[in-house]
Amino acid sequence: MATAQHDGLIQKARKLEEQALQELQALSSTRHCEEFRVKYLGRKGQLAQLLDGLQALAPDQRAEAGRLLNALKEMLTAKLEQRLAEFAHIEKEARLRAEALDVTLPGRRQKLGSLHLITQVTKELEDIFVRLGFEVVSGPEIETDYYNFEALNIPKDHPARDDWDSFYLDGFDDLLLRTHTSPVQIRVMQQRRPPVKVVCSGKCFRRDATDATHSPVFHQIEMLWVDKGINFAHLKGTILAFLEEFYGKGFEARFVGDYFPFTEPSIQVHVRRKGTEKWLEILGAGMVDPAVLQEVDYDPEEYTGFAFGLGVERMAMLKYGVDDIRTFYQNDMRFLEAF
Ligand code: DAH
């Protein structure tokens, strides 16, 4: 009885050996090797099942059959290792070939970036003012209430504050994102004696509802000229000169009365393309209010000046036919690449 079991086991082992050797030959990848390992050499594989059968054998037969099965296991394991090594080599070669770079291929041209239209227009305007004898200065985007309002003759509770709906900084009563570039006028005058002839460009921030001509972030250029004998004719002449330089002869400007606490008299300037209907307000201006000059210890009896603040987006919209201010900030490549 035991002998029949023994013979059966040996026969199964031989069959297993024959089949496994055939399959080993047919393996074609590392993944197939793993499947083979599980099928024959795994914990619940065919060889393990045969080893379980040893228990039913008589001790001497068990030892002999055990040696045979273990030798079979070692032989299959070694052959499997060999095949694995072959595939590892082949697969590595294939991967290297697939990942190879042909360094002789021609390069692909990378498009160069260009300056944003707002930056271009700002530079163009600054250049015009430099040619007119102005110096370019700058000031901070986070301002104190004093520079943004008080020093510009806009005390707390002044109704004109409603014209500049402001972003205050959380936790700082006194700090806000500047609503205009006019505070730079004060900073410059505090540090210099006249004559002062400067321009300053930069970002401004207002809690305005967004529409085709309003954006919570926008750009201004501020201009200030203070000296002995400056009068309204200088203001008018300077503004008309730079507008013509920027727009050429195809545009016209008109001056309209306005009110700003820091200028007296105050005006706004509208520009339109000749032959069209619609005027666009592009800047506010005026003769610097004596109260502002006094604030920085300039004697208003001795010095006078004029100033203006222009909207860079609006200047650009008119010149380049952009009809919605939001277009500047949407980063649509077709728009950006057009300029
Ligand atoms: N700061 C004003 C504004 O943003 C514009 C302005 C008006 C600036 C008159 C000036 C000025 O320098 O003189 O609404």
Side-chain angles (χ1 to χ4, degrees):
M1 181 66 193
T3 305
Q5 277 177 337
H6 170 260
D7 293 349
L9 193 72
I10 299 298
Q11 221 170 26
K12 277 186 191 162
R14 297 238 180 286
K15 246 180 93 184
L16 187 150
E17 177 177 359
E18 195 183 325
Q19 197 189 338
L21 285 173
Q22 261 178 26
E23 277 185 37
L24 262 172
Q25 279 311 309
L27 291 177
S28 61
S29 71
T30 46
R31 193 168 56 78
H32 289 141
C33 289
E34 179 57 17
E35 285 165 12
F36 176 92
R37 198 188 59 74
V38 170
K39 179 174 173 187
Y40 290 104
L41 302 165
R43 247 180 344 110
K44 295 188 176 150
Q46 295 190 10
L47 211 65
Q49 282 169 26
L50 291 189
L51 284 162
D52 283 347
L54 288 174
Q55 275 152 29
L57 301 186
D60 58 331
Q61 290 182 333
R62 187 188 302 163
E64 190 228 300
R67 268 195 299 281
L68 188 118
L69 288 179
N70 277 325
L72 180 57
K73 186 172 181 181
E74 267 168 43
M75 187 269 285
L76 289 179
T77 304
K79 282 198 184 297
L80 179 64
E81 288 297 320
Q82 214 174 24
R83 299 247 52 196
L84 264 172
E86 279 170 40
F87 292 128
H89 181 69
I90 291 169
E91 285 168 18
K92 185 173 164 195
E93 294 275 292
R95 206 169 51 241
L96 287 177
R97 232 175 296 123
E99 289 172 0
L101 290 179
D102 182 351
V103 292
T104 65
L105 282 174
R108 242 181 248 140
R109 195 180 282 269
Q110 200 72 12
K111 238 200 232 148
L112 283 181
S114 61
L115 293 178
H116 192 280
L117 183 56
I118 293 300
T119 309
Q120 290 182 38
V121 168
T122 301
K123 280 177 174 288
E124 191 182 342
L125 288 167
E126 281 177 352
D127 283 352
I128 293 173
F129 285 109
V130 167
R131 289 203 293 278
L132 292 171
F134 287 81
E135 181 191 340
V136 178
V137 298
S138 68
E141 288 174 0
I142 295 176
E143 265 300 3
T144 62
D145 189 272
Y146 174 77
Y147 284 107
N148 197 81
F149 292 125
E150 298 253 348
L152 290 165
N153 204 25
I154 318 171
K156 292 212 161 61
D157 303 325
H158 191 291
R161 286 211 178 194
D162 293 348
D163 293 342
W164 293 279
D165 220 348
S166 318
F167 290 109
Y168 280 85
L169 267 61
D170 263 358
F172 300 91
D173 291 352
D174 195 41
L175 293 180
L176 68 159
L177 300 179
R178 69 179 175 198
T179 59
H180 49 180
T181 42
S182 299
V184 184
Q185 290 187 30
I186 306 296
R187 292 183 174 275
V188 170
M189 288 192 289
Q190 274 181 343
Q191 282 170 10
R192 306 181 183 192
R193 302 302 303 167
V196 169
K197 204 176 171 188
V198 295
V199 284
C200 163
S201 66
K203 283 197 182 75
C204 303
F205 309 84
R206 286 188 204 169
R207 288 171 59 133
D208 282 339
T210 305
D211 62 25
T213 48
H214 294 86
S215 157
V217 183
F218 59 99
H219 297 77
Q220 283 191 339
I221 294 183
E222 191 81 13
M223 189 243 49
L224 173 71
W225 186 358
V226 181
D227 203 350
K228 287 184 180 147
I230 298 287
N231 61 38
F232 200 81
H234 292 102
L235 176 155
K236 225 177 152 182
T238 304
I239 290 176
L240 289 175
F242 102 81
L243 285 179
E244 186 171 330
E245 189 73 17
F246 182 75
Y247 284 116
K249 297 245 181 254
F251 289 79
E252 56 192 339
R254 72 176 182 193
F255 290 61
V256 179
D258 201 350
Y259 167 75
F260 299 103
F262 36 94
T263 45
E264 180 59 33
S266 305
I267 55 152
Q268 49 179 252
V269 176
H270 300 177
V271 177
R272 72 174 172 194
R273 194 182 281 276
K274 278 182 187 162
T276 62
E277 286 281 296
K278 255 185 87 171
W279 294 98
L280 188 65
E281 179 194 340
I282 47 116
L283 67 82
M287 301 303 296
V288 180
D289 195 290
V292 173
L293 294 174
Q294 264 159 358
E295 183 68 30
V296 293
D297 281 333
Y298 286 10
D299 181 358
E301 298 294 327
E302 195 180 353
Y303 296 108
T304 49
F306 73 93
F308 68 68
L310 68 79
V312 178
E313 280 82 351
R314 289 177 175 208
M315 292 284 289
M317 285 167 80
L318 201 59
K319 183 165 177 175
Y320 296 103
V322 178
D323 51 17
D324 193 320
I325 196 169
R326 288 165 285 201
T327 323
F328 291 115
Y329 309 109
Q330 282 161 346
N331 288 338
D332 183 330
M333 290 304 283
R334 288 164 302 181
F335 174 77
L336 297 178
E337 284 170 355
F339 302 101

